[in-house]
Amino acid sequence: MRFLPRALLQIARAGIMALAAAGAAYAAGPDASVPTYHGHPDRSGNFIAPNLTWARARTVRLDPAFAPRFSGHLYAQPLYWQPSGAATGTLFVATEDDTVAAIDAASGRTVWRRTVGAPVPLADLPCGNIDPLGITGTPVIDLATQAIYFDAVSNDGGTVRHLIYGLSLQTGALLPGWPVDVAAALAAQGRRFVARDQNQRGALAILAGRVYVPYGGHFGDCGDYRGWVVGVALRNPRDVVGWSTRARGGGIWAPGGIASDGRALFVATGNTFGARRWSDGEAVIRLAPDLRHEDRAQDFFTPADWRTLDARDLDLGGTNPLLLNLTSGAGEEALVVAFGKDRRAYVLDRNNLGGIGGALAAETVATGSILTGPAAYPTQGGAFVAFEGHGRGCPEGNLTALQIAAGTPPAIGIAWCGALDGRGSPIVTTLDGSAEPIVWVLGAEGDDRLHGYRGDTGAPLYESPPLAGLRHFQTLIAAGGRLYVGADGRLYAFDY
């Protein structure tokens, strides 16, 4: 399992144990709500679990009495809400049946359930691989207004619509002014959004009083779809803004969707079609909250070989952008890490993304496409980044951890490899943001087990029994002293 050179391994171990304070930037406090994909707008996937030590990870156990049921296939990550002073929290799941359910996180009792429409059968779509198609992207919770927001694909009398909903967390009641019909709202601005050709797989985000929804196409790249980001004002849903790729294609489809540093939004786009000049595909794009975007090198990055990536369907958008803050002798470095189906990892300057070919560092780190969503946790002078994929030079497995070291340029190296059969998105638990990191990942549509690995060495710590109903790219959460896993029609809870 170990792949890190001995000297680098010793530095990494020492750094992880010494970074309790620095880890605060990577994770929220224990038992906090999980309002968004991977817990945080930066998509770090670092969950603080003060009691989940390396030793205790070996004794994690599935709770057979926790068996809530709901209807529909589940691709979206569950969310978790625990108001201040509440004894327990509530889990939220959103399914391909266009159903949202609120579930008591302790007992598994259904608090409320709401079906918002009729999902679209695959036979009514030009292509795709989800049947039926309803809610796919992970919703987002606004803690201030106690509401959950999501996009639902609905069959309205034979017409396919994308509708953005806002529901009360407490009751599931529809909020005033919602849902928003995306195609109709954009058509009122003279813009064309072909709802039947667009799909919504990426996680939503909230920034500056708006909910933002990313869009791409269906599996098979059919029809007139674009990479879209649509922003709707939370308190005035008639206030809608949008950005789209200039060329056809360029979908934003990675499960992590939109990342944010609290000032701007970051998305990764896929391949475009027929673009003679670069037209927003194969890129990391920074967008202002009003979604205005200028074609300036500091606001986008695309590899110099973007035409080749387009031609070979090697999307840069195989994962969401991951935002990192690293501390070095020169001060703090604000970075973006991106992965592609081209097997490469790219490290970018968050304040100046670099334009065409302007990465700070780029390395081939895998033997095949890198997909799903990565997770990050700090080490001395840098960070580990875990991703689902077979690392370059790794003897085994489908899980890889990189070490990214601060510097000019940043250094990228493979730290360790883990044996994994499946396509889940990893997370990490730490005691305080950095100490005793454990990388957790599901072998979704492979061995269908939950796996835990030591974050410093990759040594295996835990393997669950097989879990029925896992869909590819599924990720888990740590909340309320448990690990929760979502699957078709049910949730699993693991105690430690």
Side-chain angles (χ1 to χ4, degrees), residues 79-175:
L79 301 177
Y80 177 86
W81 175 52
Q82 185 167 350
S84 178
T88 187
T90 304
L91 293 157
F92 296 85
V93 292
T95 79
E96 299 295 349
D97 277 7
D98 274 347
T99 294
V100 180
I103 296 165
D104 185 279
S107 67
R109 176 182 61 88
T110 298
V111 179
W112 56 258
R113 179 187 294 111
R114 185 178 182 93
T115 298
V116 298
V120 179
L122 181 57
D124 292 345
L125 297 170
C127 63
N129 61 354
I130 299 175
D131 189 14
L133 185 65
I135 304 169
T136 307
T138 298
V140 65
I141 287 174
D142 180 45
L143 296 173
T145 59
Q146 297 187 0
I148 185 169
Y149 298 90
F150 56 93
D151 175 277
V153 183
S154 297
N155 186 344
D156 184 4
T159 300
V160 176
R161 299 187 187 279
H162 278 274
L163 301 172
I164 302 174
Y165 284 85
L167 303 181
S168 163
L169 289 178
Q170 294 183 340
T171 67
L174 185 65
L175 300 181

Side-chain angles (χ1 to χ4, degrees), residues 127 197-201 215-219 221-222 225-226 251-253:
C127 63
D197 295 345
Q198 299 282 166
N199 197 4
Q200 202 291 297
R201 293 194 281 183
Y215 295 90
H218 302 289
F219 177 82
D221 282 338
C222 54
Y225 78 92
R226 308 281 168 130
I252 303 165
W253 61 268

